[in-house]
Amino acid sequence: MASENSPASLQEKTALIERDSEEDVHQECSTMPQRSESKLTLYHWTQSFNSQKVRLAIAEKGLLCEEYDVSLPLSEHNEPWFMHLNPTGEVPVLVHHGDVICDPTQIMDYLEQSFNDEGTPRLIPEEGSTYYHRVQHYRELLDSLKMDAYTHGCILHPEITVDSHIPAYAATCIRTQIGNTQSELKKLAEQNPELKDAYVAKQRRLKSKLFDHDNVKYLKKLLDELESVMDQVETELQRRVEETPEEGGESWLCGDFFSMADVSLAVTLHRLKFLGLSRRFWGDGNRANLETYYERVVERPAFRRVLGHVNNILISAVLPVAFRVARKNAPVIVGTTLLIGVLGGATYLAFLYMKKRLTFSI
């Protein structure tokens, strides 16, 4: 899977959109296009939950995909070039042969329908089969979880977590970032009248989310409901244990094959682990099948490539400020860095010269 780890420049991204426009690209989100020619291009953010699901599905299917990081901490998803691509300003977005698909579930379905030749792993069984209904049931169950609420809620209220990978200062940083984003959206709406409705709608959604996700009672209610979902998953995994898999084979959530339901479950468990909720939902003998499943899934090659390193909230909460300053003051920073380097080098050479003269004089 081809990847471009560093975010493309604004000029490069704008050029991509302009080029696609010249090729009669559909600029609004497509429902379910059926073409499979041309390359896949994915706009995503590494720490985005939905982006992680799509990227894991692409990796499991072994597809080549050109990836562009759209940094949420740097508000690149709010920039006009991206809002033209997806008016909701959300990642991920898949572009393929001129079609733009913005919904993560539709992206994953599209990948399965468009790339199903004999050499490509299938992640969804044949429609109508028992396995198909089982996979779809658990996909819908897991995809219905309010993962953004878990994520923001646990960052804002770390007291409800255990062994979280999120440092204590993150809550303040996130609150500040959200406040800045609201002001930024208002300013962008004024500067881009053709996108005003999209920016205003996003501002309203952000305000509503902040109100809900900062509510501890609401968060605890959601986590209690998650207990029931994890119980269902544990029971299903127990059924796999009681079945007799083929010799040398492995069983996953819905059978002896890795499916889209496993993609959703794997990324969900990974996020819960990151948030410091793993001890509550598995571990210490609680839901032993779920614990074993997680230990196995993290060893899959595709998982290790996409999610092998636990995301560091430091990158999202602190470094973006430095990146933003560097981007706005690039000539000054580069000039200062160069001057310091030259002075340091000259000082070192002078030291070597004096040391040599002193040696000869002795």
Side-chain angles (χ1 to χ4, degrees), residues 266-323:
V267 179
T268 295
L269 298 181
H270 179 71
R271 177 56 59 95
L272 294 177
K273 174 77 173 179
F274 173 67
L275 294 176
L277 295 172
S278 59
R279 284 193 183 181
R280 172 171 177 173
F281 294 104
W282 73 90
D284 298 331
N286 180 33
R287 300 190 180 96
N289 293 316
L290 199 60
E291 182 176 9
T292 301
Y293 176 96
Y294 184 68
E295 292 173 352
R296 288 195 299 122
V297 80
V298 298
E299 295 300 323
R300 290 182 67 86
F303 186 98
R304 296 178 70 174
R305 287 199 303 273
V306 175
L307 296 165
H309 300 285
V310 176
N311 301 324
N312 190 341
I313 200 67
L314 174 66
I315 298 175
S316 286
V318 178
L319 292 186
V321 177
F323 292 156

Short mmCIF file of all heavy atoms in Angstrom, two decimals, residues 266-323:
data_model
loop_
_atom_site.label_atom_id
_atom_site.label_comp_id
_atom_site.label_asym_id
_atom_site.label_seq_id
_atom_site.Cartn_x
_atom_site.Cartn_y
_atom_site.Cartn_z
N ALA A 266 -11.51 -4.65 15.40
CA ALA A 266 -10.09 -4.43 15.68
C ALA A 266 -9.80 -2.97 15.96
O ALA A 266 -9.09 -2.63 16.94
CB ALA A 266 -9.25 -4.92 14.49
N VAL A 267 -10.33 -2.07 15.15
CA VAL A 267 -10.06 -0.64 15.33
C VAL A 267 -10.78 -0.13 16.58
O VAL A 267 -10.26 0.74 17.29
CB VAL A 267 -10.49 0.15 14.08
CG1 VAL A 267 -10.24 1.64 14.27
CG2 VAL A 267 -9.73 -0.35 12.86
N THR A 268 -11.95 -0.68 16.88
CA THR A 268 -12.67 -0.28 18.11
C THR A 268 -11.87 -0.66 19.34
O THR A 268 -11.70 0.17 20.26
CB THR A 268 -14.06 -0.96 18.16
OG1 THR A 268 -14.86 -0.48 17.08
CG2 THR A 268 -14.75 -0.67 19.48
N LEU A 269 -11.36 -1.87 19.39
CA LEU A 269 -10.57 -2.30 20.55
C LEU A 269 -9.28 -1.49 20.67
O LEU A 269 -8.86 -1.14 21.77
CB LEU A 269 -10.25 -3.79 20.44
CG LEU A 269 -11.45 -4.75 20.44
CD1 LEU A 269 -10.98 -6.20 20.35
CD2 LEU A 269 -12.30 -4.55 21.69
N HIS A 270 -8.70 -1.20 19.53
CA HIS A 270 -7.47 -0.39 19.53
C HIS A 270 -7.74 0.99 20.13
O HIS A 270 -6.95 1.51 20.92
CB HIS A 270 -6.96 -0.26 18.10
CG HIS A 270 -5.73 0.58 17.97
ND1 HIS A 270 -4.49 0.17 18.41
CD2 HIS A 270 -5.53 1.83 17.44
CE1 HIS A 270 -3.60 1.11 18.16
NE2 HIS A 270 -4.20 2.13 17.59
N ARG A 271 -8.86 1.60 19.77
CA ARG A 271 -9.19 2.92 20.30
C ARG A 271 -9.50 2.84 21.80
O ARG A 271 -9.07 3.71 22.58
CB ARG A 271 -10.39 3.50 19.53
CG ARG A 271 -10.89 4.86 20.04
CD ARG A 271 -9.79 5.91 20.08
NE ARG A 271 -9.18 6.15 18.79
CZ ARG A 271 -9.54 7.11 17.96
NH1 ARG A 271 -10.52 7.94 18.30
NH2 ARG A 271 -8.91 7.27 16.81
N LEU A 272 -10.24 1.82 22.23
CA LEU A 272 -10.56 1.67 23.65
C LEU A 272 -9.28 1.46 24.47
O LEU A 272 -9.16 1.98 25.59
CB LEU A 272 -11.52 0.50 23.87
CG LEU A 272 -12.92 0.67 23.26
CD1 LEU A 272 -13.74 -0.60 23.48
CD2 LEU A 272 -13.64 1.87 23.86
N LYS A 273 -8.33 0.73 23.91
CA LYS A 273 -7.04 0.53 24.57
C LYS A 273 -6.33 1.87 24.72
O LYS A 273 -5.79 2.19 25.79
CB LYS A 273 -6.20 -0.44 23.75
CG LYS A 273 -4.77 -0.63 24.24
CD LYS A 273 -4.72 -1.55 25.44
CE LYS A 273 -3.28 -1.87 25.80
NZ LYS A 273 -3.19 -2.75 26.99
N PHE A 274 -6.31 2.65 23.68
CA PHE A 274 -5.66 3.96 23.70
C PHE A 274 -6.30 4.89 24.72
O PHE A 274 -5.61 5.67 25.40
CB PHE A 274 -5.74 4.56 22.29
CG PHE A 274 -5.24 5.98 22.20
CD1 PHE A 274 -3.91 6.28 22.40
CD2 PHE A 274 -6.11 7.02 21.89
CE1 PHE A 274 -3.45 7.58 22.30
CE2 PHE A 274 -5.66 8.32 21.80
CZ PHE A 274 -4.33 8.60 22.00
N LEU A 275 -7.62 4.80 24.87
CA LEU A 275 -8.34 5.69 25.78
C LEU A 275 -8.24 5.25 27.24
O LEU A 275 -8.69 5.97 28.13
CB LEU A 275 -9.82 5.76 25.37
CG LEU A 275 -10.11 6.41 24.02
CD1 LEU A 275 -11.60 6.31 23.71
CD2 LEU A 275 -9.66 7.86 23.99
N GLY A 276 -7.65 4.09 27.49
CA GLY A 276 -7.54 3.62 28.87
C GLY A 276 -8.78 2.89 29.36
O GLY A 276 -9.08 2.91 30.55
N LEU A 277 -9.49 2.23 28.44
CA LEU A 277 -10.72 1.53 28.79
C LEU A 277 -10.60 0.01 28.65
O LEU A 277 -11.59 -0.70 28.82
CB LEU A 277 -11.88 2.03 27.93
CG LEU A 277 -12.28 3.50 28.13
CD1 LEU A 277 -13.30 3.92 27.07
CD2 LEU A 277 -12.84 3.72 29.53
N SER A 278 -9.43 -0.47 28.31
CA SER A 278 -9.28 -1.91 28.05
C SER A 278 -9.52 -2.74 29.31
O SER A 278 -10.11 -3.82 29.24
CB SER A 278 -7.89 -2.21 27.48
OG SER A 278 -6.86 -1.79 28.37
N ARG A 279 -9.07 -2.26 30.46
CA ARG A 279 -9.28 -3.03 31.69
C ARG A 279 -10.74 -3.17 32.05
O ARG A 279 -11.16 -4.17 32.62
CB ARG A 279 -8.54 -2.36 32.86
CG ARG A 279 -7.04 -2.58 32.85
CD ARG A 279 -6.44 -2.18 34.19
NE ARG A 279 -5.00 -2.31 34.19
CZ ARG A 279 -4.24 -2.03 35.23
NH1 ARG A 279 -4.80 -1.61 36.38
NH2 ARG A 279 -2.93 -2.17 35.16
N ARG A 280 -11.51 -2.19 31.68
CA ARG A 280 -12.94 -2.26 31.97
C ARG A 280 -13.64 -3.28 31.07
O ARG A 280 -14.52 -4.01 31.53
CB ARG A 280 -13.59 -0.88 31.79
CG ARG A 280 -15.11 -0.93 31.89
CD ARG A 280 -15.75 0.43 31.94
NE ARG A 280 -17.21 0.33 31.97
CZ ARG A 280 -18.03 1.35 32.15
NH1 ARG A 280 -17.54 2.57 32.32
NH2 ARG A 280 -19.34 1.16 32.17
N PHE A 281 -13.25 -3.33 29.80
CA PHE A 281 -13.99 -4.14 28.85
C PHE A 281 -13.33 -5.49 28.53
O PHE A 281 -13.97 -6.38 28.00
CB PHE A 281 -14.22 -3.35 27.57
CG PHE A 281 -15.12 -2.16 27.78
CD1 PHE A 281 -14.60 -0.88 27.85
CD2 PHE A 281 -16.48 -2.34 27.96
CE1 PHE A 281 -15.44 0.22 28.07
CE2 PHE A 281 -17.32 -1.25 28.18
CZ PHE A 281 -16.80 0.02 28.24
N TRP A 282 -12.07 -5.64 28.81
CA TRP A 282 -11.43 -6.95 28.74
C TRP A 282 -10.15 -6.89 29.57
O TRP A 282 -9.67 -5.85 29.95
CB TRP A 282 -11.14 -7.35 27.29
CG TRP A 282 -10.02 -6.63 26.61
CD1 TRP A 282 -8.70 -6.98 26.57
CD2 TRP A 282 -10.11 -5.41 25.85
NE1 TRP A 282 -7.97 -6.07 25.85
CE2 TRP A 282 -8.82 -5.10 25.38
CE3 TRP A 282 -11.17 -4.56 25.50
CZ2 TRP A 282 -8.54 -3.98 24.60
CZ3 TRP A 282 -10.89 -3.46 24.73
CH2 TRP A 282 -9.61 -3.17 24.29
N GLY A 283 -9.61 -8.03 29.88
CA GLY A 283 -8.42 -8.08 30.72
C GLY A 283 -8.76 -8.52 32.13
O GLY A 283 -9.91 -8.46 32.57
N ASP A 284 -7.74 -9.00 32.85
CA ASP A 284 -7.90 -9.48 34.23
C ASP A 284 -8.97 -10.57 34.30
O ASP A 284 -9.72 -10.67 35.28
CB ASP A 284 -8.28 -8.32 35.16
CG ASP A 284 -7.21 -7.25 35.24
OD1 ASP A 284 -6.01 -7.61 35.06
OD2 ASP A 284 -7.53 -6.07 35.43
N GLY A 285 -9.06 -11.40 33.26
CA GLY A 285 -10.02 -12.50 33.25
C GLY A 285 -11.41 -12.09 32.81
O GLY A 285 -12.29 -12.94 32.69
N ASN A 286 -11.62 -10.80 32.58
CA ASN A 286 -12.92 -10.31 32.15
C ASN A 286 -12.99 -10.37 30.63
O ASN A 286 -12.18 -9.78 29.94
CB ASN A 286 -13.11 -8.87 32.62
CG ASN A 286 -14.45 -8.29 32.21
OD1 ASN A 286 -15.44 -9.00 32.12
ND2 ASN A 286 -14.46 -6.99 31.94
N ARG A 287 -13.96 -11.13 30.10
CA ARG A 287 -14.11 -11.35 28.66
C ARG A 287 -12.82 -11.88 28.05
O ARG A 287 -12.16 -11.24 27.23
CB ARG A 287 -14.55 -10.05 27.97
CG ARG A 287 -15.89 -9.51 28.48
CD ARG A 287 -16.40 -8.37 27.61
NE ARG A 287 -17.67 -7.85 28.11
CZ ARG A 287 -17.80 -6.79 28.90
NH1 ARG A 287 -16.72 -6.12 29.27
NH2 ARG A 287 -19.00 -6.40 29.30
N ALA A 288 -12.48 -13.08 28.45
CA ALA A 288 -11.22 -13.72 28.05
C ALA A 288 -11.12 -13.90 26.54
O ALA A 288 -10.03 -13.77 25.96
CB ALA A 288 -11.07 -15.07 28.75
N ASN A 289 -12.23 -14.19 25.89
CA ASN A 289 -12.20 -14.37 24.43
C ASN A 289 -11.85 -13.06 23.73
O ASN A 289 -11.11 -13.05 22.74
CB ASN A 289 -13.55 -14.87 23.92
CG ASN A 289 -13.86 -16.27 24.40
OD1 ASN A 289 -13.00 -17.15 24.38
ND2 ASN A 289 -15.08 -16.50 24.86
N LEU A 290 -12.38 -11.97 24.23
CA LEU A 290 -12.09 -10.66 23.66
C LEU A 290 -10.62 -10.30 23.84
O LEU A 290 -9.97 -9.76 22.94
CB LEU A 290 -12.98 -9.60 24.31
CG LEU A 290 -13.17 -8.27 23.58
CD1 LEU A 290 -13.80 -8.49 22.22
CD2 LEU A 290 -14.02 -7.33 24.41
N GLU A 291 -10.09 -10.64 25.01
CA GLU A 291 -8.68 -10.37 25.28
C GLU A 291 -7.78 -11.17 24.34
O GLU A 291 -6.82 -10.63 23.77
CB GLU A 291 -8.36 -10.70 26.73
CG GLU A 291 -6.93 -10.40 27.13
CD GLU A 291 -6.66 -10.66 28.59
OE1 GLU A 291 -7.53 -11.22 29.28
OE2 GLU A 291 -5.56 -10.28 29.06
N THR A 292 -8.09 -12.44 24.16
CA THR A 292 -7.31 -13.28 23.25
C THR A 292 -7.41 -12.78 21.82
O THR A 292 -6.43 -12.76 21.07
CB THR A 292 -7.80 -14.73 23.33
OG1 THR A 292 -7.67 -15.21 24.67
CG2 THR A 292 -7.00 -15.64 22.39
N TYR A 293 -8.62 -12.38 21.44
CA TYR A 293 -8.84 -11.85 20.09
C TYR A 293 -7.96 -10.64 19.85
O TYR A 293 -7.29 -10.54 18.80
CB TYR A 293 -10.31 -11.47 19.93
CG TYR A 293 -10.65 -10.83 18.60
CD1 TYR A 293 -11.15 -11.59 17.54
CD2 TYR A 293 -10.47 -9.46 18.38
CE1 TYR A 293 -11.45 -11.02 16.32
CE2 TYR A 293 -10.77 -8.88 17.16
CZ TYR A 293 -11.26 -9.65 16.14
OH TYR A 293 -11.55 -9.08 14.93
N TYR A 294 -7.92 -9.71 20.78
CA TYR A 294 -7.12 -8.49 20.61
C TYR A 294 -5.64 -8.83 20.50
O TYR A 294 -4.92 -8.25 19.67
CB TYR A 294 -7.35 -7.54 21.76
CG TYR A 294 -6.63 -6.22 21.61
CD1 TYR A 294 -6.99 -5.31 20.63
CD2 TYR A 294 -5.56 -5.90 22.44
CE1 TYR A 294 -6.32 -4.11 20.47
CE2 TYR A 294 -4.87 -4.70 22.30
CZ TYR A 294 -5.26 -3.81 21.31
OH TYR A 294 -4.58 -2.63 21.16
N GLU A 295 -5.18 -9.78 21.30
CA GLU A 295 -3.77 -10.17 21.25
C GLU A 295 -3.41 -10.76 19.90
O GLU A 295 -2.29 -10.58 19.41
CB GLU A 295 -3.48 -11.20 22.36
CG GLU A 295 -3.56 -10.61 23.77
CD GLU A 295 -3.44 -11.68 24.85
OE1 GLU A 295 -3.45 -12.89 24.48
OE2 GLU A 295 -3.34 -11.33 26.04
N ARG A 296 -4.36 -11.44 19.26
CA ARG A 296 -4.10 -12.04 17.95
C ARG A 296 -4.19 -11.01 16.82
O ARG A 296 -3.38 -11.00 15.90
CB ARG A 296 -5.08 -13.19 17.68
CG ARG A 296 -4.81 -14.43 18.50
CD ARG A 296 -5.57 -15.64 17.94
NE ARG A 296 -7.01 -15.45 17.95
CZ ARG A 296 -7.77 -15.52 16.87
NH1 ARG A 296 -7.23 -15.74 15.69
NH2 ARG A 296 -9.07 -15.37 16.96
N VAL A 297 -5.20 -10.13 16.90
CA VAL A 297 -5.44 -9.22 15.79
C VAL A 297 -4.32 -8.19 15.64
O VAL A 297 -4.01 -7.75 14.53
CB VAL A 297 -6.82 -8.53 15.94
CG1 VAL A 297 -6.76 -7.36 16.92
CG2 VAL A 297 -7.33 -8.04 14.58
N VAL A 298 -3.69 -7.79 16.75
CA VAL A 298 -2.62 -6.80 16.66
C VAL A 298 -1.38 -7.37 15.99
O VAL A 298 -0.48 -6.61 15.60
CB VAL A 298 -2.25 -6.23 18.06
CG1 VAL A 298 -3.43 -5.51 18.68
CG2 VAL A 298 -1.73 -7.33 18.98
N GLU A 299 -1.33 -8.69 15.84
CA GLU A 299 -0.19 -9.32 15.19
C GLU A 299 -0.39 -9.51 13.69
O GLU A 299 0.53 -9.94 13.00
CB GLU A 299 0.11 -10.69 15.85
CG GLU A 299 0.54 -10.59 17.31
CD GLU A 299 1.82 -9.76 17.46
OE1 GLU A 299 2.70 -9.85 16.59
OE2 GLU A 299 1.91 -9.02 18.46
N ARG A 300 -1.58 -9.21 13.19
CA ARG A 300 -1.80 -9.33 11.75
C ARG A 300 -0.93 -8.31 11.02
O ARG A 300 -0.83 -7.15 11.44
CB ARG A 300 -3.28 -9.12 11.41
CG ARG A 300 -4.19 -10.24 11.87
CD ARG A 300 -5.63 -9.99 11.44
NE ARG A 300 -5.80 -10.04 10.00
CZ ARG A 300 -6.02 -11.14 9.29
NH1 ARG A 300 -6.08 -12.32 9.92
NH2 ARG A 300 -6.17 -11.09 7.99
N PRO A 301 -0.30 -8.70 9.92
CA PRO A 301 0.58 -7.78 9.19
C PRO A 301 -0.10 -6.47 8.80
O PRO A 301 0.49 -5.39 8.95
CB PRO A 301 0.98 -8.59 7.96
CG PRO A 301 0.89 -10.02 8.40
CD PRO A 301 -0.28 -10.06 9.34
N ALA A 302 -1.35 -6.55 8.34
CA ALA A 302 -2.05 -5.33 7.93
C ALA A 302 -2.29 -4.42 9.12
O ALA A 302 -2.14 -3.20 9.03
CB ALA A 302 -3.39 -5.69 7.26
N PHE A 303 -2.67 -4.99 10.25
CA PHE A 303 -2.90 -4.20 11.46
C PHE A 303 -1.61 -3.52 11.89
O PHE A 303 -1.60 -2.34 12.25
CB PHE A 303 -3.44 -5.09 12.58
CG PHE A 303 -3.83 -4.33 13.82
CD1 PHE A 303 -5.15 -3.99 14.05
CD2 PHE A 303 -2.87 -3.94 14.76
CE1 PHE A 303 -5.52 -3.28 15.20
CE2 PHE A 303 -3.23 -3.23 15.90
CZ PHE A 303 -4.56 -2.90 16.11
N ARG A 304 -0.52 -4.25 11.85
CA ARG A 304 0.76 -3.69 12.30
C ARG A 304 1.21 -2.54 11.39
O ARG A 304 1.81 -1.57 11.87
CB ARG A 304 1.82 -4.79 12.35
CG ARG A 304 1.51 -5.87 13.39
CD ARG A 304 2.54 -6.97 13.41
NE ARG A 304 3.81 -6.51 13.93
CZ ARG A 304 4.85 -7.31 14.16
NH1 ARG A 304 4.76 -8.60 13.90
NH2 ARG A 304 5.97 -6.82 14.64
N ARG A 305 0.90 -2.64 10.10
CA ARG A 305 1.28 -1.56 9.19
C ARG A 305 0.44 -0.30 9.44
O ARG A 305 0.96 0.81 9.40
CB ARG A 305 1.10 -2.00 7.74
CG ARG A 305 2.13 -2.98 7.24
CD ARG A 305 2.18 -3.02 5.72
NE ARG A 305 0.90 -3.36 5.13
CZ ARG A 305 0.48 -4.60 4.92
NH1 ARG A 305 1.25 -5.62 5.28
NH2 ARG A 305 -0.69 -4.82 4.35
N VAL A 306 -0.83 -0.50 9.71
CA VAL A 306 -1.73 0.66 9.84
C VAL A 306 -1.79 1.17 11.28
O VAL A 306 -1.81 2.39 11.51
CB VAL A 306 -3.15 0.28 9.36
CG1 VAL A 306 -4.12 1.42 9.59
CG2 VAL A 306 -3.12 -0.10 7.88
N LEU A 307 -1.81 0.28 12.25
CA LEU A 307 -2.06 0.68 13.64
C LEU A 307 -1.01 0.11 14.60
O LEU A 307 -1.27 0.01 15.79
CB LEU A 307 -3.45 0.18 14.07
CG LEU A 307 -4.63 0.79 13.32
CD1 LEU A 307 -5.89 -0.03 13.56
CD2 LEU A 307 -4.86 2.21 13.76
N GLY A 308 0.15 -0.22 14.07
CA GLY A 308 1.15 -0.88 14.90
C GLY A 308 1.67 -0.06 16.06
O GLY A 308 2.10 -0.61 17.07
N HIS A 309 1.64 1.26 15.93
CA HIS A 309 2.13 2.12 17.00
C HIS A 309 0.96 2.87 17.61
O HIS A 309 0.20 3.53 16.90
CB HIS A 309 3.17 3.11 16.46
CG HIS A 309 4.36 2.44 15.84
ND1 HIS A 309 5.34 1.83 16.60
CD2 HIS A 309 4.70 2.23 14.54
CE1 HIS A 309 6.25 1.31 15.79
NE2 HIS A 309 5.88 1.53 14.54
N VAL A 310 0.81 2.76 18.91
CA VAL A 310 -0.27 3.47 19.58
C VAL A 310 -0.11 4.96 19.34
O VAL A 310 0.97 5.52 19.52
CB VAL A 310 -0.27 3.18 21.10
CG1 VAL A 310 -1.34 4.01 21.81
CG2 VAL A 310 -0.51 1.70 21.35
N ASN A 311 -1.18 5.61 18.92
CA ASN A 311 -1.11 7.03 18.60
C ASN A 311 -0.73 7.86 19.81
O ASN A 311 -1.21 7.62 20.92
CB ASN A 311 -2.47 7.51 18.08
CG ASN A 311 -2.90 6.75 16.85
OD1 ASN A 311 -2.07 6.41 16.02
ND2 ASN A 311 -4.18 6.48 16.72
N ASN A 312 0.13 8.81 19.59
CA ASN A 312 0.59 9.69 20.66
C ASN A 312 -0.18 11.00 20.61
O ASN A 312 -0.07 11.75 19.66
CB ASN A 312 2.09 9.95 20.52
CG ASN A 312 2.66 10.63 21.74
OD1 ASN A 312 1.94 11.22 22.53
ND2 ASN A 312 3.97 10.55 21.91
N ILE A 313 -0.97 11.26 21.64
CA ILE A 313 -1.81 12.46 21.65
C ILE A 313 -0.96 13.73 21.65
O ILE A 313 -1.43 14.80 21.31
CB ILE A 313 -2.76 12.46 22.87
CG1 ILE A 313 -3.94 13.42 22.66
CG2 ILE A 313 -2.02 12.84 24.14
CD1 ILE A 313 -4.87 12.99 21.58
N LEU A 314 0.33 13.60 22.01
CA LEU A 314 1.22 14.77 22.00
C LEU A 314 1.25 15.40 20.62
O LEU A 314 1.27 16.62 20.47
CB LEU A 314 2.64 14.34 22.41
CG LEU A 314 3.74 15.41 22.32
CD1 LEU A 314 3.45 16.51 23.33
CD2 LEU A 314 5.10 14.79 22.57
N ILE A 315 1.24 14.57 19.58
CA ILE A 315 1.30 15.07 18.21
C ILE A 315 0.08 15.92 17.91
O ILE A 315 0.16 16.96 17.26
CB ILE A 315 1.41 13.89 17.22
CG1 ILE A 315 2.70 13.12 17.48
CG2 ILE A 315 1.37 14.39 15.78
CD1 ILE A 315 2.83 11.87 16.64
N SER A 316 -1.09 15.47 18.41
CA SER A 316 -2.33 16.19 18.12
C SER A 316 -2.50 17.43 18.98
O SER A 316 -3.07 18.41 18.54
CB SER A 316 -3.53 15.26 18.35
OG SER A 316 -3.62 14.33 17.31
N ALA A 317 -2.05 17.37 20.22
CA ALA A 317 -2.38 18.43 21.16
C ALA A 317 -1.34 19.54 21.28
O ALA A 317 -1.68 20.66 21.62
CB ALA A 317 -2.60 17.81 22.55
N VAL A 318 -0.08 19.23 20.99
CA VAL A 318 0.98 20.20 21.25
C VAL A 318 1.72 20.61 19.98
O VAL A 318 1.83 21.78 19.65
CB VAL A 318 1.98 19.65 22.29
CG1 VAL A 318 3.11 20.65 22.50
CG2 VAL A 318 1.27 19.37 23.60
N LEU A 319 2.24 19.64 19.26
CA LEU A 319 3.07 19.95 18.11
C LEU A 319 2.37 20.76 17.03
O LEU A 319 3.03 21.54 16.34
CB LEU A 319 3.64 18.66 17.50
CG LEU A 319 4.66 17.92 18.36
CD1 LEU A 319 5.25 16.75 17.59
CD2 LEU A 319 5.78 18.85 18.80
N PRO A 320 1.05 20.62 16.83
CA PRO A 320 0.41 21.45 15.80
C PRO A 320 0.66 22.94 15.96
O PRO A 320 0.72 23.68 14.98
CB PRO A 320 -1.07 21.11 15.96
CG PRO A 320 -1.06 19.71 16.44
CD PRO A 320 0.12 19.63 17.37
N VAL A 321 0.78 23.39 17.21
CA VAL A 321 1.05 24.81 17.43
C VAL A 321 2.40 25.17 16.82
O VAL A 321 2.54 26.18 16.12
CB VAL A 321 1.05 25.13 18.94
CG1 VAL A 321 1.40 26.59 19.16
CG2 VAL A 321 -0.30 24.80 19.56
N ALA A 322 3.39 24.32 17.04
CA ALA A 322 4.71 24.57 16.48
C ALA A 322 4.67 24.50 14.96
O ALA A 322 5.28 25.30 14.26
CB ALA A 322 5.70 23.55 17.03
N PHE A 323 3.93 23.49 14.43
CA PHE A 323 3.81 23.36 12.98
C PHE A 323 3.16 24.60 12.37
O PHE A 323 3.57 25.08 11.32
CB PHE A 323 2.98 22.13 12.63
CG PHE A 323 3.66 20.83 12.97
CD1 PHE A 323 2.91 19.68 13.18
CD2 PHE A 323 5.04 20.75 13.09
CE1 PHE A 323 3.52 18.48 13.49
CE2 PHE A 323 5.66 19.55 13.40
CZ PHE A 323 4.90 18.42 13.61
#
